[in-house]
Amino acid sequence: MADDKKPEKLKLKSEVGLLGGVSLIAGVIIGSGIFMSPQYVLLYIGSPGASLLIWAASGLLAMAASFCYAELGTVIGESGGEYVYILHTSGNVVAFMFSFTTNLVMRPTGIIAVTLTFAQNLLAFFYDDCPPPDVAVKCLAAAGIVMLTAMNCMNVRSSMAVTVFFTAVKILALLVILIGGIVLLIQGNTSSSLQHSFDGTKLGVSAIAMGFYQCLWSYDGWNTLNYITEEIKRPQVNLPRALMIAIPMVTILYLLVNVSYLVVMTPTEMISSSAVAVTWGNKVLGGWGWIMSVAAALSSFGSLNGSFFSGGRVCYVTAREGHMPDILAMAHMKRLTPSPALIFTTIISLIVLIPGDFQGIINFFSFTAWFFYGITLSGLLYLKIKKPELPRAITVPIIIPILVLLAACFLVLAPIIDDPQIEYLYVTIFILSSILIYIPFIHFKLFPGVLNKLTVFLQLFLEVAPTDKNL
Protein backbone atom coordinates (compact mmCIF):
# COMPACT_ATOMS: atom_id res chain seq x y z
CA MET A 1 0.00 0.00 0.00
CA ALA A 2 1.13 3.49 -0.77
CA ASP A 3 2.12 5.63 2.16
CA ASP A 4 -0.72 8.15 2.65
CA LYS A 5 1.16 10.23 5.19
CA LYS A 6 1.43 13.91 4.36
CA PRO A 7 4.97 15.27 4.26
CA GLU A 8 5.95 16.90 7.54
CA LYS A 9 5.95 20.69 7.39
CA LEU A 10 9.07 22.73 8.04
CA LYS A 11 9.62 24.53 11.34
CA LEU A 12 11.78 27.56 12.10
CA LYS A 13 14.78 26.81 14.29
CA SER A 14 14.90 27.84 17.98
CA GLU A 15 18.33 29.50 18.08
CA VAL A 16 17.83 32.61 20.25
CA GLY A 17 19.17 32.18 23.80
CA LEU A 18 19.24 34.61 26.73
CA LEU A 19 22.27 36.59 25.45
CA GLY A 20 20.76 36.75 21.96
CA GLY A 21 17.42 37.85 23.43
CA VAL A 22 18.95 40.63 25.52
CA SER A 23 21.08 41.75 22.56
CA LEU A 24 18.07 41.71 20.23
CA ILE A 25 15.91 43.83 22.56
CA ALA A 26 18.68 46.30 23.42
CA GLY A 27 19.90 46.29 19.82
CA VAL A 28 16.51 47.22 18.40
CA ILE A 29 15.72 49.81 21.10
CA ILE A 30 19.09 51.58 20.88
CA GLY A 31 18.83 52.73 17.31
CA SER A 32 18.50 56.20 15.88
CA GLY A 33 16.26 57.58 18.63
CA ILE A 34 18.80 58.39 21.36
CA PHE A 35 21.02 60.07 18.75
CA MET A 36 18.17 62.05 17.12
CA SER A 37 15.14 62.43 19.41
CA PRO A 38 16.47 64.24 22.55
CA GLN A 39 16.28 67.64 20.85
CA TYR A 40 12.70 66.99 19.71
CA VAL A 41 11.62 65.91 23.21
CA LEU A 42 13.15 69.15 24.52
CA LEU A 43 11.48 71.16 21.75
CA TYR A 44 7.99 69.86 22.60
CA ILE A 45 8.25 69.88 26.42
CA GLY A 46 10.21 73.14 26.72
CA SER A 47 12.71 72.53 29.55
CA PRO A 48 15.64 70.21 30.35
CA GLY A 49 14.20 69.08 33.69
CA ALA A 50 10.83 68.17 32.19
CA SER A 51 12.52 66.37 29.29
CA LEU A 52 14.45 64.16 31.76
CA LEU A 53 11.17 63.36 33.54
CA ILE A 54 9.65 62.37 30.17
CA TRP A 55 12.63 60.09 29.45
CA ALA A 56 12.31 58.44 32.87
CA ALA A 57 8.52 58.06 32.59
CA SER A 58 8.87 56.58 29.09
CA GLY A 59 11.38 54.03 30.38
CA LEU A 60 9.03 53.04 33.20
CA LEU A 61 6.14 52.77 30.73
CA ALA A 62 8.21 50.57 28.40
CA MET A 63 9.21 48.36 31.36
CA ALA A 64 5.62 48.01 32.58
CA ALA A 65 4.36 47.24 29.07
CA SER A 66 7.13 44.67 28.52
CA PHE A 67 6.22 42.86 31.75
CA CYS A 68 2.63 42.63 30.49
CA TYR A 69 3.91 41.24 27.19
CA ALA A 70 6.09 38.75 29.07
CA GLU A 71 2.94 37.30 30.65
CA LEU A 72 1.17 37.25 27.28
CA GLY A 73 4.17 35.54 25.69
CA THR A 74 4.12 32.74 28.26
CA VAL A 75 0.32 32.26 28.06
CA ILE A 76 0.16 32.37 24.25
CA GLY A 77 3.48 30.82 23.25
CA GLU A 78 3.36 31.71 19.55
CA SER A 79 5.38 34.14 17.44
CA GLY A 80 3.71 37.22 16.01
CA GLY A 81 3.48 39.61 18.96
CA GLU A 82 0.39 41.80 19.01
CA TYR A 83 -1.13 40.03 16.01
CA VAL A 84 -1.31 36.64 17.76
CA TYR A 85 -2.46 38.13 21.08
CA ILE A 86 -5.22 40.15 19.39
CA LEU A 87 -6.23 37.11 17.33
CA HIS A 88 -6.72 35.01 20.48
CA THR A 89 -8.47 37.70 22.54
CA SER A 90 -10.28 40.03 20.11
CA GLY A 91 -10.91 37.84 17.06
CA ASN A 92 -10.07 37.70 13.38
CA VAL A 93 -11.35 41.11 12.27
CA VAL A 94 -9.32 43.19 14.75
CA ALA A 95 -6.27 40.96 14.21
CA PHE A 96 -6.52 41.52 10.45
CA MET A 97 -6.81 45.29 11.00
CA PHE A 98 -3.56 45.13 12.93
CA SER A 99 -1.76 42.95 10.37
CA PHE A 100 -2.98 45.13 7.47
CA THR A 101 -1.78 48.33 9.16
CA THR A 102 1.47 46.83 10.47
CA ASN A 103 2.64 45.06 7.32
CA LEU A 104 1.72 47.86 4.93
CA VAL A 105 2.49 50.96 7.00
CA MET A 106 3.77 50.66 10.59
CA ARG A 107 6.64 48.20 10.04
CA PRO A 108 7.87 49.71 6.73
CA THR A 109 7.72 53.29 8.06
CA GLY A 110 9.58 52.27 11.21
CA ILE A 111 12.27 50.61 9.11
CA ILE A 112 12.56 53.65 6.83
CA ALA A 113 12.86 56.10 9.74
CA VAL A 114 15.83 54.13 11.10
CA THR A 115 17.34 53.62 7.63
CA LEU A 116 17.23 57.33 6.81
CA THR A 117 19.03 58.10 10.07
CA PHE A 118 21.67 55.50 9.24
CA ALA A 119 22.24 57.02 5.80
CA GLN A 120 22.25 60.64 7.03
CA ASN A 121 24.80 59.93 9.76
CA LEU A 122 27.09 57.90 7.53
CA LEU A 123 27.05 60.50 4.74
CA ALA A 124 27.54 63.35 7.23
CA PHE A 125 31.12 62.10 7.53
CA PHE A 126 31.67 63.13 3.86
CA TYR A 127 29.62 66.37 3.96
CA ASP A 128 31.09 68.54 6.72
CA ASP A 129 29.65 71.91 5.76
CA CYS A 130 26.27 71.00 4.30
CA PRO A 131 23.60 68.32 4.59
CA PRO A 132 24.05 65.34 2.25
CA PRO A 133 21.91 65.30 -0.94
CA ASP A 134 18.49 63.71 -0.51
CA VAL A 135 19.07 61.36 -3.45
CA ALA A 136 22.34 60.07 -1.96
CA VAL A 137 20.68 59.51 1.43
CA LYS A 138 17.84 57.48 -0.08
CA CYS A 139 20.12 55.44 -2.34
CA LEU A 140 22.35 54.49 0.60
CA ALA A 141 19.26 53.70 2.70
CA ALA A 142 17.94 51.42 -0.06
CA ALA A 143 21.29 49.64 -0.32
CA GLY A 144 21.29 49.06 3.45
CA ILE A 145 17.80 47.56 3.35
CA VAL A 146 18.68 45.18 0.52
CA MET A 147 21.91 44.09 2.26
CA LEU A 148 20.10 43.30 5.52
CA THR A 149 17.37 41.42 3.67
CA ALA A 150 19.94 39.17 2.03
CA MET A 151 21.68 38.54 5.36
CA ASN A 152 18.44 37.72 7.22
CA CYS A 153 17.40 35.37 4.43
CA MET A 154 20.63 33.41 4.81
CA ASN A 155 20.25 32.07 8.35
CA VAL A 156 19.18 33.02 11.88
CA ARG A 157 22.59 32.43 13.47
CA SER A 158 24.47 34.97 11.32
CA SER A 159 21.74 37.56 11.87
CA MET A 160 21.96 37.08 15.65
CA ALA A 161 25.77 37.33 15.54
CA VAL A 162 25.48 40.68 13.76
CA THR A 163 22.91 41.82 16.32
CA VAL A 164 25.18 40.95 19.27
CA PHE A 165 28.14 42.75 17.64
CA PHE A 166 26.25 45.96 16.87
CA THR A 167 24.63 45.98 20.31
CA ALA A 168 28.10 45.94 21.87
CA VAL A 169 29.22 48.79 19.56
CA LYS A 170 26.25 51.03 20.35
CA ILE A 171 26.48 50.45 24.11
CA LEU A 172 30.17 51.36 23.88
CA ALA A 173 29.25 54.59 22.04
CA LEU A 174 26.69 55.50 24.72
CA LEU A 175 29.27 54.79 27.43
CA VAL A 176 31.66 57.23 25.72
CA ILE A 177 28.97 59.93 25.89
CA LEU A 178 28.14 59.02 29.48
CA ILE A 179 31.76 59.04 30.67
CA GLY A 180 32.45 62.29 28.81
CA GLY A 181 29.58 63.96 30.66
CA ILE A 182 30.80 62.63 34.03
CA VAL A 183 34.32 63.96 33.40
CA LEU A 184 32.97 67.41 32.51
CA LEU A 185 30.77 67.41 35.62
CA ILE A 186 33.76 66.56 37.80
CA GLN A 187 35.74 69.37 36.15
CA GLY A 188 32.86 71.77 36.81
CA ASN A 189 32.26 72.48 33.12
CA THR A 190 28.47 72.54 32.81
CA SER A 191 26.12 74.45 30.55
CA SER A 192 23.21 76.50 31.88
CA SER A 193 20.85 73.60 31.08
CA LEU A 194 21.03 72.12 34.58
CA GLN A 195 20.46 75.48 36.29
CA HIS A 196 16.78 76.50 36.51
CA SER A 197 16.12 73.27 34.66
CA PHE A 198 12.32 73.54 34.69
CA ASP A 199 12.11 77.10 33.30
CA GLY A 200 9.97 77.22 30.16
CA THR A 201 8.17 73.91 30.74
CA LYS A 202 5.12 73.45 28.50
CA LEU A 203 2.25 71.84 30.40
CA GLY A 204 -0.22 71.54 27.51
CA VAL A 205 -1.75 68.10 26.97
CA SER A 206 -0.64 67.99 23.34
CA ALA A 207 2.91 69.12 24.21
CA ILE A 208 3.27 66.34 26.80
CA ALA A 209 1.83 63.71 24.44
CA MET A 210 4.12 64.76 21.57
CA GLY A 211 7.11 64.73 23.94
CA PHE A 212 6.18 61.17 24.91
CA TYR A 213 5.79 60.22 21.23
CA GLN A 214 9.31 61.37 20.42
CA CYS A 215 10.75 59.73 23.55
CA LEU A 216 8.88 56.44 23.15
CA TRP A 217 10.23 56.26 19.59
CA SER A 218 13.64 55.80 21.23
CA TYR A 219 12.26 52.95 23.35
CA ASP A 220 10.49 51.24 20.47
CA GLY A 221 11.56 47.60 20.29
CA TRP A 222 10.74 46.62 23.89
CA ASN A 223 8.30 44.05 22.44
CA THR A 224 10.76 42.58 19.89
CA LEU A 225 11.12 39.12 21.44
CA ASN A 226 7.35 38.57 21.41
CA TYR A 227 7.49 38.51 17.60
CA ILE A 228 9.87 35.52 17.61
CA THR A 229 8.66 33.51 20.63
CA GLU A 230 8.82 30.20 18.71
CA GLU A 231 12.50 30.79 17.90
CA ILE A 232 13.58 31.39 21.51
CA LYS A 233 15.24 28.60 23.47
CA ARG A 234 13.11 27.87 26.57
CA PRO A 235 10.84 30.90 26.00
CA GLN A 236 9.02 30.40 29.32
CA VAL A 237 12.30 31.27 31.06
CA ASN A 238 14.35 33.34 28.61
CA LEU A 239 11.59 35.67 27.38
CA PRO A 240 10.82 37.31 30.77
CA ARG A 241 14.48 37.23 31.84
CA ALA A 242 15.67 39.00 28.68
CA LEU A 243 13.01 41.71 29.11
CA MET A 244 13.89 42.26 32.77
CA ILE A 245 17.59 42.66 31.94
CA ALA A 246 17.49 44.66 28.70
CA ILE A 247 14.89 47.36 29.31
CA PRO A 248 16.05 48.61 32.75
CA MET A 249 19.63 48.66 31.37
CA VAL A 250 18.57 50.77 28.38
CA THR A 251 16.48 53.13 30.54
CA ILE A 252 19.40 53.87 32.88
CA LEU A 253 21.74 54.40 29.90
CA TYR A 254 19.27 56.77 28.23
CA LEU A 255 18.85 58.92 31.35
CA LEU A 256 22.59 59.25 31.93
CA VAL A 257 23.27 59.99 28.24
CA ASN A 258 20.64 62.76 28.26
CA VAL A 259 22.25 64.27 31.35
CA SER A 260 25.57 64.22 29.47
CA TYR A 261 23.97 66.03 26.52
CA LEU A 262 22.60 68.70 28.88
CA VAL A 263 25.95 69.09 30.64
CA VAL A 264 27.60 69.97 27.33
CA MET A 265 24.88 71.86 25.43
CA THR A 266 22.34 74.57 26.17
CA PRO A 267 18.67 73.91 25.30
CA THR A 268 19.00 76.24 22.30
CA GLU A 269 22.02 74.34 21.00
CA MET A 270 20.24 71.00 21.42
CA ILE A 271 17.07 72.14 19.65
CA SER A 272 19.02 73.63 16.72
CA SER A 273 21.12 70.49 16.31
CA SER A 274 20.26 68.13 13.45
CA ALA A 275 21.88 65.20 15.31
CA VAL A 276 22.47 65.88 18.99
CA ALA A 277 25.05 63.10 19.48
CA VAL A 278 27.17 64.44 16.62
CA THR A 279 27.02 67.98 18.05
CA TRP A 280 28.06 66.57 21.44
CA GLY A 281 30.98 64.78 19.77
CA ASN A 282 32.16 67.93 17.99
CA LYS A 283 32.13 69.91 21.26
CA VAL A 284 33.69 67.30 23.54
CA LEU A 285 35.89 65.16 21.29
CA GLY A 286 37.03 67.94 18.97
CA GLY A 287 38.79 66.45 15.95
CA TRP A 288 37.47 63.03 16.93
CA GLY A 289 33.86 64.21 16.79
CA TRP A 290 33.29 62.21 13.61
CA ILE A 291 33.29 59.08 15.81
CA MET A 292 29.79 59.98 17.03
CA SER A 293 28.53 60.30 13.47
CA VAL A 294 29.87 56.83 12.64
CA ALA A 295 28.53 55.45 15.94
CA ALA A 296 25.06 56.82 15.19
CA ALA A 297 25.16 55.24 11.73
CA LEU A 298 26.29 51.85 13.09
CA SER A 299 23.69 52.02 15.86
CA SER A 300 20.93 52.63 13.33
CA PHE A 301 22.20 49.81 11.12
CA GLY A 302 22.24 47.37 14.05
CA SER A 303 18.73 48.39 15.10
CA LEU A 304 17.57 47.97 11.53
CA ASN A 305 18.95 44.42 11.45
CA GLY A 306 16.97 43.55 14.58
CA SER A 307 13.83 45.16 13.17
CA PHE A 308 14.13 43.08 10.00
CA PHE A 309 14.72 39.90 12.00
CA SER A 310 11.59 40.37 14.13
CA GLY A 311 9.42 42.32 11.70
CA GLY A 312 9.49 39.70 8.98
CA ARG A 313 7.98 37.24 11.46
CA VAL A 314 4.81 39.37 11.80
CA CYS A 315 4.14 39.07 8.09
CA TYR A 316 5.05 35.36 8.21
CA VAL A 317 2.68 34.53 11.11
CA THR A 318 -0.13 36.61 9.59
CA ALA A 319 0.10 34.56 6.39
CA ARG A 320 0.30 31.32 8.37
CA GLU A 321 -3.07 32.20 9.95
CA GLY A 322 -4.62 32.78 6.51
CA HIS A 323 -4.74 36.58 6.62
CA MET A 324 -2.15 37.10 3.87
CA PRO A 325 -1.11 35.11 0.77
CA ASP A 326 0.16 31.58 1.48
CA ILE A 327 3.56 32.21 -0.07
CA LEU A 328 4.42 34.58 2.81
CA ALA A 329 3.99 31.76 5.34
CA MET A 330 6.66 29.61 3.71
CA ALA A 331 10.32 29.16 4.71
CA HIS A 332 13.44 28.29 2.76
CA MET A 333 13.80 24.51 2.57
CA LYS A 334 17.48 24.47 3.62
CA ARG A 335 18.06 27.67 5.57
CA LEU A 336 14.68 27.57 7.41
CA THR A 337 14.24 31.35 7.25
CA PRO A 338 10.94 33.07 6.27
CA SER A 339 12.50 34.59 3.16
CA PRO A 340 9.24 35.40 1.27
CA ALA A 341 7.95 37.46 4.22
CA LEU A 342 11.31 39.26 4.51
CA ILE A 343 11.34 40.05 0.78
CA PHE A 344 7.75 41.35 0.95
CA THR A 345 8.65 43.65 3.87
CA THR A 346 11.64 44.89 1.87
CA ILE A 347 9.57 45.73 -1.21
CA ILE A 348 7.01 47.70 0.83
CA SER A 349 9.79 49.50 2.70
CA LEU A 350 11.52 50.55 -0.53
CA ILE A 351 8.22 51.96 -1.81
CA VAL A 352 7.71 53.93 1.44
CA LEU A 353 11.31 55.21 1.19
CA ILE A 354 10.53 57.32 -1.89
CA PRO A 355 8.60 60.09 -0.03
CA GLY A 356 10.24 59.31 3.37
CA ASP A 357 10.05 62.04 6.07
CA PHE A 358 11.59 61.35 9.49
CA GLN A 359 9.40 63.52 11.74
CA GLY A 360 6.11 62.66 10.06
CA ILE A 361 7.01 58.97 10.25
CA ILE A 362 7.61 59.10 14.03
CA ASN A 363 4.34 60.86 14.85
CA PHE A 364 2.26 58.60 12.63
CA PHE A 365 3.97 55.44 13.82
CA SER A 366 3.59 56.30 17.53
CA PHE A 367 -0.09 57.17 17.26
CA THR A 368 -0.94 53.93 15.43
CA ALA A 369 1.32 51.71 17.55
CA TRP A 370 -0.15 52.80 20.86
CA PHE A 371 -3.67 52.29 19.55
CA PHE A 372 -2.89 48.60 18.99
CA TYR A 373 -0.85 48.32 22.19
CA GLY A 374 -4.02 49.39 24.01
CA ILE A 375 -6.07 46.67 22.29
CA THR A 376 -3.41 44.07 23.16
CA LEU A 377 -3.37 45.08 26.83
CA SER A 378 -7.16 44.89 26.91
CA GLY A 379 -6.72 41.27 25.80
CA LEU A 380 -4.37 40.61 28.72
CA LEU A 381 -6.98 41.97 31.13
CA TYR A 382 -9.55 39.68 29.48
CA LEU A 383 -7.29 36.64 29.99
CA LYS A 384 -6.60 37.59 33.61
CA ILE A 385 -10.28 37.99 34.48
CA LYS A 386 -11.95 35.34 32.30
CA LYS A 387 -9.22 32.67 32.02
CA PRO A 388 -7.07 32.82 35.15
CA GLU A 389 -6.58 29.04 35.00
CA LEU A 390 -4.33 29.21 31.91
CA PRO A 391 -0.72 28.27 32.76
CA ARG A 392 1.75 31.16 32.73
CA ALA A 393 5.40 31.41 33.79
CA ILE A 394 5.04 35.01 34.97
CA THR A 395 2.04 36.89 36.37
CA VAL A 396 2.01 40.68 36.70
CA PRO A 397 -0.32 42.45 39.15
CA ILE A 398 -3.51 43.50 37.35
CA ILE A 399 -2.87 47.16 38.20
CA ILE A 400 0.13 47.22 35.80
CA PRO A 401 -1.80 46.46 32.56
CA ILE A 402 -4.54 48.85 33.73
CA LEU A 403 -2.03 51.70 34.16
CA VAL A 404 -0.32 50.96 30.83
CA LEU A 405 -3.73 50.81 29.12
CA LEU A 406 -4.62 54.24 30.57
CA ALA A 407 -1.28 55.59 29.30
CA ALA A 408 -2.01 54.15 25.84
CA CYS A 409 -5.44 55.82 25.82
CA PHE A 410 -3.81 59.13 26.77
CA LEU A 411 -1.19 58.87 24.02
CA VAL A 412 -3.85 58.09 21.41
CA LEU A 413 -6.54 60.59 22.46
CA ALA A 414 -4.60 63.53 23.95
CA PRO A 415 -3.15 65.00 20.73
CA ILE A 416 -6.45 64.49 18.89
CA ILE A 417 -8.49 66.31 21.56
CA ASP A 418 -5.96 69.07 22.29
CA ASP A 419 -4.79 69.73 18.72
CA PRO A 420 -7.03 68.01 16.14
CA GLN A 421 -5.35 67.43 12.77
CA ILE A 422 -6.72 65.91 9.58
CA GLU A 423 -3.86 63.35 9.53
CA TYR A 424 -5.41 61.50 12.48
CA LEU A 425 -8.62 61.09 10.50
CA TYR A 426 -6.65 59.71 7.55
CA VAL A 427 -4.98 57.17 9.87
CA THR A 428 -8.34 56.06 11.28
CA ILE A 429 -9.88 55.72 7.81
CA PHE A 430 -6.90 53.68 6.63
CA ILE A 431 -7.17 51.27 9.58
CA LEU A 432 -10.94 50.83 9.10
CA SER A 433 -10.52 50.37 5.34
CA SER A 434 -8.93 46.99 6.04
CA ILE A 435 -12.44 45.66 6.75
CA LEU A 436 -13.28 46.19 3.08
CA ILE A 437 -10.55 43.69 2.21
CA TYR A 438 -11.24 41.28 5.08
CA ILE A 439 -14.96 40.69 4.36
CA PRO A 440 -14.74 39.51 0.71
CA PHE A 441 -11.25 37.97 0.58
CA ILE A 442 -10.70 36.54 4.09
CA HIS A 443 -14.17 35.91 5.55
CA PHE A 444 -16.03 34.83 2.39
CA LYS A 445 -12.84 33.63 0.62
CA LEU A 446 -13.81 34.99 -2.79
CA PHE A 447 -11.44 34.11 -5.64
CA PRO A 448 -9.54 31.52 -3.53
CA GLY A 449 -7.44 30.25 -6.43
CA VAL A 450 -6.52 33.61 -7.94
CA LEU A 451 -2.93 33.48 -6.59
CA ASN A 452 -2.34 29.73 -6.99
CA LYS A 453 -0.22 29.91 -10.13
CA LEU A 454 1.83 32.80 -8.74
CA THR A 455 2.30 30.94 -5.44
CA VAL A 456 3.55 27.80 -7.18
CA PHE A 457 5.94 29.83 -9.34
CA LEU A 458 7.36 31.75 -6.36
CA GLN A 459 7.59 28.57 -4.30
CA LEU A 460 9.77 26.95 -6.93
CA PHE A 461 11.76 30.11 -7.66
CA LEU A 462 12.51 30.89 -3.98
CA GLU A 463 12.88 27.21 -2.96
CA VAL A 464 10.40 27.53 -0.07
CA ALA A 465 7.84 25.21 1.50
CA PRO A 466 4.88 25.50 3.94
CA THR A 467 5.72 25.62 7.66
CA ASP A 468 4.08 24.65 10.92
CA LYS A 469 4.06 26.23 14.38
CA ASN A 470 7.21 25.57 16.40
CA LEU A 471 5.59 24.87 19.78
Side-chain angles (χ1 to χ4, degrees):
M1 291 179 64
D3 189 357
D4 293 331
K5 281 187 177 181
K6 293 182 179 179
E8 187 176 342
K9 291 185 176 181
L10 301 176
K11 291 183 179 181
L12 301 184
K13 290 182 178 180
S14 298
E15 294 192 348
V16 181
L18 180 59
L19 175 61
V22 171
S23 298
L24 188 59
I25 297 170
V28 174
I29 293 178
I30 305 172
S32 60
I34 190 61
F35 297 96
M36 299 286 288
S37 289
Q39 64 264 42
Y40 297 113
V41 177
L42 185 58
L43 175 65
Y44 281 114
I45 205 65
S47 71
S51 72
L52 288 177
L53 289 179
I54 292 288
W55 280 96
S58 296
L60 290 174
L61 180 58
M63 275 190 273
S66 69
F67 292 157
C68 296
Y69 271 52
E71 180 173 344
L72 278 167
T74 59
V75 175
I76 305 170
E78 300 176 26
S79 296
E82 290 87 4
Y83 170 77
V84 166
Y85 307 148
I86 292 172
L87 181 67
H88 283 277
T89 58
S90 302
N92 282 289
V93 176
V94 183
F96 181 78
M97 289 169 63
F98 171 80
S99 69
F100 179 82
T101 308
T102 296
N103 291 316
L104 293 184
V105 179
M106 287 168 58
R107 182 62 56 175
T109 52
I111 287 171
I112 291 308
V114 178
T115 312
L116 288 174
T117 307
F118 154 71
Q120 287 165 356
N121 280 290
L122 192 59
L123 288 174
F125 181 68
F126 302 99
Y127 293 86
D128 291 333
D129 303 323
C130 62
D134 193 48
V135 173
V137 170
K138 290 186 176 180
C139 286
L140 181 58
I145 290 173
V146 172
M147 183 190 306
L148 285 175
T149 302
M151 186 173 63
N152 277 274
C153 285
M154 292 301 291
N155 61 66
V156 172
R157 191 166 297 173
S158 63
S159 180
M160 287 309 305
V162 170
T163 298
V164 172
F165 171 76
F166 278 106
T167 299
V169 169
K170 61 184 70 177
I171 289 177
L172 179 62
L174 292 183
L175 287 175
V176 169
I177 297 174
L178 190 158
I179 293 169
I182 291 173
V183 170
L184 289 173
L185 271 177
I186 293 172
Q187 293 175 345
N189 299 324
T190 61
S191 74
S192 59
S193 300
L194 300 180
Q195 302 168 7
H196 312 292
S197 58
F198 286 92
D199 289 354
T201 302
K202 300 174 185 176
L203 297 176
V205 174
S206 180
I208 295 172
M210 296 307 290
F212 267 108
Y213 273 179
Q214 294 294 328
C215 197
L216 287 167
W217 165 255
S218 300
Y219 284 98
D220 183 59
W222 53 265
N223 54 348
T224 297
L225 277 194
N226 293 80
Y227 295 127
I228 62 163
T229 304
E230 296 168 32
E231 295 172 75
I232 301 173
K233 299 174 183 176
R234 299 169 60 213
Q236 301 289 329
V237 175
N238 287 329
L239 174 60
R241 280 184 183 175
L243 290 168
M244 291 176 186
I245 294 171
I247 298 177
M249 176 185 71
V250 171
T251 301
I252 294 169
L253 268 177
Y254 274 10
L255 279 172
L256 294 176
V257 166
N258 271 279
V259 170
S260 182
Y261 288 153
L262 292 168
V263 165
V264 173
M265 289 174 277
T266 65
T268 303
E269 286 175 326
M270 280 189 68
I271 291 171
S272 62
S273 171
S274 59
V276 66
V278 177
T279 303
W280 182 95
N282 291 334
K283 294 193 70 170
V284 176
L285 303 178
W288 291 91
W290 58 269
I291 291 175
M292 284 297 106
S293 181
V294 174
L298 293 177
S299 179
S300 300
F301 190 78
S303 178
L304 186 62
N305 177 61
S307 295
F308 256 101
F309 181 79
S310 60
R313 272 61 177 175
V314 181
C315 180
Y316 161 78
V317 173
T318 302
R320 194 175 64 185
E321 296 294 336
H323 286 175
M324 291 192 76
D326 292 341
I327 185 66
L328 300 179
M330 297 185 186
H332 194 275
M333 297 177 67
K334 295 180 180 177
R335 301 187 181 99
L336 299 178
T337 56
S339 50
L342 290 166
I343 293 169
F344 176 81
T345 301
T346 300
I347 292 170
I348 299 298
S349 298
L350 291 174
I351 293 171
V352 173
L353 175 63
I354 297 171
D357 169 61
F358 184 74
Q359 278 312 109
I361 284 172
I362 291 178
N363 294 336
F364 174 82
F365 175 82
S366 299
F367 166 79
T368 313
W370 281 95
F371 171 76
F372 286 111
Y373 292 158
I375 294 176
T376 305
L377 292 164
S378 300
L380 175 59
L381 291 174
Y382 167 79
L383 292 175
K384 279 182 164 295
I385 295 169
K386 294 292 186 180
K387 298 185 178 181
E389 73 282 357
L390 290 175
R392 57 198 81 195
I394 179 174
T395 302
V396 297
I398 195 168
I399 188 64
I400 293 181
I402 290 174
L403 291 175
V404 180
L405 179 58
L406 290 174
C409 292
F410 169 78
L411 289 169
V412 172
L413 296 176
I416 299 175
I417 295 171
D418 193 62
D419 184 22
Q421 296 182 35
I422 193 66
E423 286 80 5
Y424 296 122
L425 178 61
Y426 294 154
V427 172
T428 305
I429 292 173
F430 180 83
I431 294 172
L432 294 175
S433 69
S434 62
I435 298 174
L436 299 177
I437 296 175
Y438 176 83
I439 292 174
F441 298 110
I442 307 299
H443 183 71
F444 289 109
K445 301 187 186 301
L446 296 180
F447 312 112
V450 70
L451 294 177
N452 282 354
K453 290 184 178 179
L454 180 61
T455 299
V456 172
F457 169 76
L458 291 175
Q459 188 174 350
L460 294 171
F461 179 72
L462 297 174
E463 298 182 358
V464 294
T467 58
D468 201 0
K469 296 178 182 179
N470 189 15
L471 300 176

